Amino acid sequence: MATKQKTKAPSYHYDAIVIGTGPGGEGVAMQLAKAGKKVAVVERYEAVGGGCTHWGTIPSKALRHSVSRLIEYNSSPLFADNHLSKSLTFSDIMRHASGVVKSQTRLRSSFYDRNRVTLFHGEASFVDAHTLEITRKDGSKDTVTAGQIAIATGSRPYCPKDIDFNHPRIYNSDTILSLDHDPKSIIIYGAGVIGSEYASIFRGLGVKVDLVNMRDRLLSFLDDEISDALSYHLWNNGVLIRHNEAYSSVEATDDSVILNLESGKRMRADCLLFANGRTGNTDTLKLENIGLKADGRGQLKVNENYQTDVDNVFAVGDVIGYPSLASAAYNQGRFAAEAMLGIKTHSALVEDIPSGIYTIPEISSVGKTEQELTAAKVPYEVGRAQFKHLARAQIASTQTGSLKILFHRETKEILGIHCFGERASEIVHIGQAIMQQKGEGNTIDYFVNTTFNYPTMAEAYRVAAINGLNRIF
């Protein structure tokens, strides 16, 4: 009787190849490497870290921190005896940001070295579902194969073709980091998260800012009160916000930029920052060679395991769209790696993903807004704490802002937390931790019954909880 021969498994250079070394790609690579897999990563630029480290989260937040400290210095009576304000240029604070970027790059590079992950520098494109061609800067090419491939190529700013982004006075949210002169005025087109953050940064440097918003309010996904607080704060600091506007054309000259709006308005400034949307980096991957097609935003569709329509190809991070957050991308990478390994120890991303918006002051929220709860007819109550009443805020001169807790009137379950003020992105996680508790573990009573260090900003939770419970009758 003839014995049935086993089909020999195909031989590949690597168990897995990850395209991109941002938070999503790093999450995939590290999880696979720690599971003993032979892993390679492909990075198109000279240093690892992706857009998050080099053009997005890290440099912009380092810039924001420096400007915030400058504002704090100039507004403090302790340093204002000579009545002269300290001033810095964009280039000055970029030097600090560059140092942070270098430190992050060194750290992230060490992860790949320590875990024996092979790093290729070049542009990756698909030959077939298991084969990648990597083109280096000098034109030379490598061909590598893997059993599985993860796409974590991130996104880039959307740049309409009718605007000349090669002009030295027109920038997107990546190229603005190369600004080497000291503008007196700037037009920021797009009042989303990036546009609002840069409006705060430039106004903090004393630059005249015009912020053009295509919608009728700033960051409309936020709780209305928080959106209103940001609008007021920007207005109070001198930012001119134009709502419900769209551009018709842009004129750039040697000494200025003119933005023509569909409403007939004309605006002139030293430079223009176009910050209206992002596009997934999929156009150079030659996805057609594996039967994949990105949507109009350059994004890929995946299932609950971050698997594309091609079984052995996965995708994570900005390239798959929502929530397009560095924090979420790293977890997406870990979860995708588990699926690639054929294990499932984690569920999907948490339902309530916190948002951190690094305007000056910061904004952070998690859970439902008042508008959502009202529409759903949920009987909720509100507890508030004004930062100006907290001893720690008075000591640190960070009295602008407040914490708002939304909770169910009957069960006292925390439904949403919204914070506006310095350190908001840190403060929100205290409430998030309680919201994630099951059953009776999630209750506003926790903040009343626990003991907080004093003085701290965390004490705002106790103040807000008592304020809210006093409204129940």
Side-chain angles (χ1 to χ4, degrees):
M1 183 176 174
T3 57
K4 188 177 180 180
Q5 289 188 343
K6 293 182 179 179
T7 303
K8 187 178 180 181
S11 177
Y12 300 116
H13 294 116
Y14 298 95
D15 295 317
I17 300 174
V18 183
I19 310 173
T21 61
E26 182 182 303
V28 177
M30 294 303 108
Q31 193 82 349
L32 291 176
K34 291 180 186 301
K37 297 298 181 180
K38 186 178 181 183
V39 182
V41 295
V42 185
E43 174 53 57
R44 71 194 301 184
Y45 297 104
E46 294 180 1
V48 301
C52 170
T53 299
H54 297 281
W55 306 281
T57 303
I58 298 302
S60 66
K61 277 49 177 180
L63 285 170
R64 184 249 177 229
H65 178 80
S66 296
V67 173
S68 181
R69 298 289 75 78
L70 176 66
I71 294 171
E72 186 180 318
Y73 177 91
N74 286 332
S75 61
S76 172
L78 186 64
F79 306 114
D81 289 345
N82 58 7
H83 306 291
L84 295 175
S85 294
K86 174 75 174 175
S87 63
L88 292 171
T89 66
F90 193 87
S91 297
D92 290 335
I93 58 176
M94 263 308 298
R95 280 192 286 273
H96 165 67
S98 297
V100 177
V101 169
K102 289 177 182 176
S103 296
Q104 279 288 305
T105 300
R106 282 195 298 270
L107 175 67
R108 316 228 83 81
S109 294
S110 71
F111 295 161
Y112 296 100
D113 292 339
R114 211 162 55 222
N115 288 280
R116 295 180 175 82
V117 174
T118 304
L119 175 61
F120 290 93
H121 288 286
E123 188 86 47
S125 60
F126 282 94
V127 176
D128 59 46
H130 291 280
T131 309
L132 290 177
E133 183 176 79
I134 303 171
T135 305
R136 299 191 191 91
K137 274 190 174 182
D138 62 6
S140 60
K141 297 181 179 182
D142 277 321
T143 300
V144 291
T145 59
Q148 296 173 309
I149 296 174
I151 301 171
T153 46
S155 64
R156 63 183 183 275
Y158 168 65
C159 297
K161 294 180 180 179
D162 61 336
I163 298 177
D164 180 12
F165 286 90
N166 291 319
H167 193 282
R169 291 185 178 272
I170 298 178
Y171 300 90
N172 61 40
S173 57
D174 284 356
T175 59
I176 193 67
L177 297 172
S178 63
L179 179 70
D180 58 3
H181 65 281
D182 191 15
K184 302 301 180 188
S185 60
I186 186 171
I187 298 168
I188 300 177
Y189 185 84
V193 172
I194 294 172
S196 296
E197 288 179 351
Y198 273 106
S200 292
I201 289 171
F202 278 104
R203 191 63 201 128
L205 289 171
V207 178
K208 178 183 174 184
V209 177
D210 285 85
L211 181 61
V212 181
N213 183 23
M214 280 129 283
R215 301 185 178 183
D216 59 358
R217 63 186 303 115
L218 292 183
L219 305 180
S220 55
F221 60 88
L222 292 174
D223 185 272
D224 281 357
E225 282 191 343
I226 301 299
S227 173
D228 291 343
L230 174 62
S231 294
Y232 172 79
H233 198 77
L234 290 174
W235 171 82
N236 194 48
N237 285 336
V239 175
L240 178 60
I241 306 173
R242 300 181 188 269
H243 295 293
N244 294 314
E245 297 280 9
Y247 84 93
S248 58
S249 63
V250 174
E251 304 169 30
T253 66
D254 289 342
D255 60 359
S256 68
V257 176
I258 297 172
L259 183 70
N260 297 301
L261 300 177
E262 289 181 353
S263 64
K265 299 182 184 72
R266 284 168 60 86
M267 305 165 63
R268 184 197 298 269
D270 290 342
C271 56
L272 167 71
L273 168 56
F274 192 93
N276 184 31
R278 297 184 68 82
T279 301
N281 293 323
T282 52
D283 52 314
T284 61
L285 290 174
K286 296 185 180 177
L287 294 174
E288 64 275 10
N289 289 343
I290 58 172
L292 279 184
K293 185 176 182 180
D295 65 17
R297 291 178 173 267
Q299 295 170 353
L300 295 171
K301 183 181 70 174
V302 295
N303 64 17
E304 68 278 5
N305 293 320
Y306 302 97
Q307 187 178 35
T308 69
D309 290 338
V310 178
D311 289 349
N312 70 300
V313 179
F314 295 72
V316 297
D318 280 13
V319 79
I320 66 170
Y322 178 85
S324 296
L325 297 171
S327 52
Y330 191 85
N331 277 340
Q332 288 174 338
R334 290 175 50 238
F335 299 161
E338 290 180 352
M340 294 165 78
L341 291 166
I343 60 176
K344 194 71 175 174
T345 59
H346 295 88
S347 58
L349 294 174
V350 294
E351 182 179 349
D352 293 318
I353 298 173
S355 64
I357 301 168
Y358 295 84
T359 46
I360 303 174
E362 290 177 9
I363 296 170
S364 195
S365 64
V366 63
K368 301 299 184 183
T369 65
E370 285 202 59
Q371 294 69 53
E372 290 170 334
L373 294 175
T374 299
K377 293 183 169 55
V378 175
Y380 72 93
E381 196 47 85
V382 182
R384 289 188 179 86
Q386 301 292 329
F387 285 0
K388 63 185 178 182
H389 298 147
L390 302 178
R392 181 61 179 267
Q394 294 167 1
I395 292 168
S397 297
T398 54
Q399 299 178 57
T400 298
S402 64
L403 172 71
K404 177 164 78 170
I405 304 176
L406 308 179
F407 64 99
H408 198 287
R409 283 185 62 92
E410 296 160 8
T411 66
K412 299 182 183 178
E413 174 190 1
I414 300 168
L415 305 171
I417 297 166
H418 306 277
C419 190
F420 177 73
E422 278 304 296
R423 304 291 185 269
S425 59
E426 304 281 357
I427 294 168
V428 76
H429 290 304
I430 299 169
Q432 181 195 22
I434 303 305
M435 281 182 66
Q436 292 295 313
Q437 303 308 303
K438 303 298 182 185
E440 295 181 359
N442 176 7
T443 171
I444 197 169
D445 287 331
Y446 171 84
F447 299 122
V448 177
N449 297 329
T450 196
T451 301
F452 290 94
N453 281 333
Y454 179 83
T456 59
M457 295 303 295
E459 187 197 2
Y461 279 97
R462 179 180 61 82
V463 176
I466 293 173
N467 175 266
L469 290 171
N470 285 341
R471 298 176 189 275
I472 296 178
F473 54 89

